[in-house]
Structures are given as C-alpha cells and as structure tokens.
Amino acid sequence: DSGVTQTPKHLITATGQRVTLRCSPRSGDLSVYWYQQSLDQGLQFLIQYYNGEERAKGNILERFSAQQFPDLHSELNLSSLELGDSALYFCASSVAGPLAGATSTDTQYFGPGTRLTVL
Amino acid sequence: DAKTTQPPSMDCAEGRAANLPCNHSTISGNEYVYWYRQIHSQGPQYIIHGLKNNETNEMASLIITEDRKSSTLILPHATLRDTAVYYCIVRAQKTSYDKVIFGPGTSLSVIP
C-alpha cells in the first residue's frame, strides 16, 4: 500500500459526458501528479500540482483539467469524453517542492488507479 | 522524448539475478536516476533511486557508472512475482517542475 488513494476504482460512462477522478496523496506529500495509461501504452504525464498550484504540464488535453485543494487532495476533471479517453488514470504524490527538506527527492508513490471506460 | 533508453524486453530464469540496463547519456549533475516497476495494470511501484553512488535496498541494487551515463538495476534473486515492466527515469532533486517522462520501459519476464 503506497498510501495514495484514488476513487473510484472503476468508472463507466458514455461519450460526451464529464467525470471527476479523485486522489488523496500520502500524508505530508505536497506534490500530486496525474498520468494517463491507455491500453498497452506507457505512462503519459498529464499535470503536476504543488501545494495547490500548477507546476508542470504534460500533454493534457484542453478538455481535461485538474486542481489541488487546500487539504492537498486533487481532482482530475475529464469532459466531453471520447472513446479514446478510455484508459487507466494514475495519481502519484511526492514531497518534491521548495518546502521539502534538503535531502528529499522526487520519489513518486502511485495510487492504484482509476479505470475509465467510455462507451 | 524520454531521457532514458531501455531494452524493450528481457527474460530471466527464476532464482537468477536480473540485470536491467538503462542509458541516460544526457543526465544533468543534479538529476537522480529512479527505477519503478508496474505489475500488470497496477499502480507503478517505486524501487530505488540514486545520484552517483551505488545503492541497495530490500528490493534491489542500483549500479551507476562513474560517468553517470548509464545504470543497471539488479534484482538479485528474481521470482515469478518480479515479472513486470521496469521503468528508468531521471528527475532533479527536490524541485522538479519539468514534465515527467516515462519511456516504454523494459518488460521483464521471469521464467520458471
């Protein structure tokens, strides 16, 4: 158990719909990362938040958005869903950031993922 | 593009050491080498990381060449449960605001 939780585990929805995926980081971690993994594909970095602020952006579609709340949990919102959005979505957390200790690193701890199926 | 290159697949006999190579020839001085693995569709699992010295933990050993341009992850006694995709990435220490880039990794098959 990594200490990172994601809900829901599975989500089935229809094209054109909007869904929200939720992630709770490990206690003490200020950075949250979102990744997409399509069938037989590698991990595609979407976005990173640190202490509530967006810090790095990957190939995240404009239909997707994310935010990190004051309690440090994060949500990934996917809208106008298409068949190709069906994938595993992983969240990870780390202590990385300006407030981290001098010896800290960017070790990421991943959640179990949310499997999204768009029909 | 990934900053690391790895062989797409490897086989290893159960009980033998699995040596997984990774090239990172453009690594910067402040970048660590991290290894993760992903078993089937589970969330990736952190294995080990290092800067320039060799590292060992309960899961594996990491050998980094003196010029830091390549490294090898060693699973000393591979078991069937070590069958997974292994990812090698490089990341800066502490303040990492670059895109995280995972390559396709190495698919390790441990054979009975």
Side-chain angles (χ1 to χ4, degrees):
Chain A
D1 183 2
S2 67
V4 178
T5 60
Q6 290 187 249
T7 56
K9 291 185 69 172
H10 302 276
L11 197 50
I12 301 174
T13 188
T15 54
Q17 295 298 305
R18 172 190 171 95
V19 297
T20 297
L21 313 184
R22 182 187 169 104
C23 169
S24 293
R26 292 188 325 152
S27 176
D29 284 357
L30 298 179
S31 274
V32 170
Y33 310 75
W34 285 98
Y35 295 85
Q36 179 192 58
Q37 187 173 41
S38 302
L39 187 63
D40 295 330
Q41 297 292 312
L43 288 159
Q44 299 296 317
F45 170 70
L46 296 178
I47 199 164
Q48 176 193 3
Y49 277 82
Y50 174 77
N51 203 24
E53 295 186 14
E54 180 186 307
R55 290 293 186 174
K57 219 169 193 178
N59 298 324
I60 187 168
L61 300 173
E62 285 192 10
R63 300 183 286 108
F64 296 2
S65 65
Q67 55 183 327
Q68 187 180 27
F69 295 87
D71 66 353
L72 300 177
H73 90 272
S74 177
E75 293 181 355
L76 179 67
N77 300 297
L78 315 176
S79 63
S80 302
L81 285 167
E82 302 175 359
L83 296 177
D85 297 328
S86 295
L88 277 166
Y89 290 84
F90 291 105
C91 159
S93 74
S94 78
V95 297
L99 300 179
T103 58
S104 69
T105 62
D106 189 42
T107 301
Q108 293 182 40
Y109 295 89
F110 285 78
T114 292
R115 181 177 293 279
L116 174 66
T117 302
V118 182
L119 301 175
Chain B
D1 292 340
K3 295 184 179 180
T4 62
T5 56
Q6 301 175 251
S9 64
M10 293 182 64
D11 291 339
C12 178
E14 188 178 17
R16 304 296 295 270
N19 297 293
L20 294 93
C22 179
N23 287 319
H24 31 80
S25 59
T26 61
I27 192 170
S28 301
N30 68 339
E31 287 182 320
Y32 284 72
V33 179
Y34 289 84
W35 283 83
Y36 295 84
R37 73 179 182 184
Q38 186 176 25
I39 298 172
H40 193 44
S41 296
Q42 298 178 22
Q45 176 189 26
Y46 164 76
I47 301 173
I48 198 167
H49 72 278
L51 184 63
K52 53 184 177 182
N53 297 321
N54 298 337
E55 302 288 345
T56 296
N57 63 20
E58 65 279 2
M59 290 183 68
S61 295
L62 174 60
I63 309 298
I64 302 174
T65 58
E66 194 168 338
D67 62 7
R68 304 211 321 124
K69 291 185 177 182
S70 66
S71 60
T72 300
L73 178 74
I74 301 172
L75 307 179
H77 306 286
T79 70
L80 299 179
R81 287 180 294 180
D82 292 323
T83 292
V85 177
Y86 287 77
Y87 299 100
C88 164
I89 69 169
V90 294
R91 293 287 285 167
Q93 178 185 11
K94 197 167 79 170
T95 52
S96 300
Y97 296 148
D98 295 332
K99 291 194 300 183
V100 187
I101 303 174
F102 279 80
T106 295
S107 179
L108 175 69
S109 296
V110 179
I111 302 167

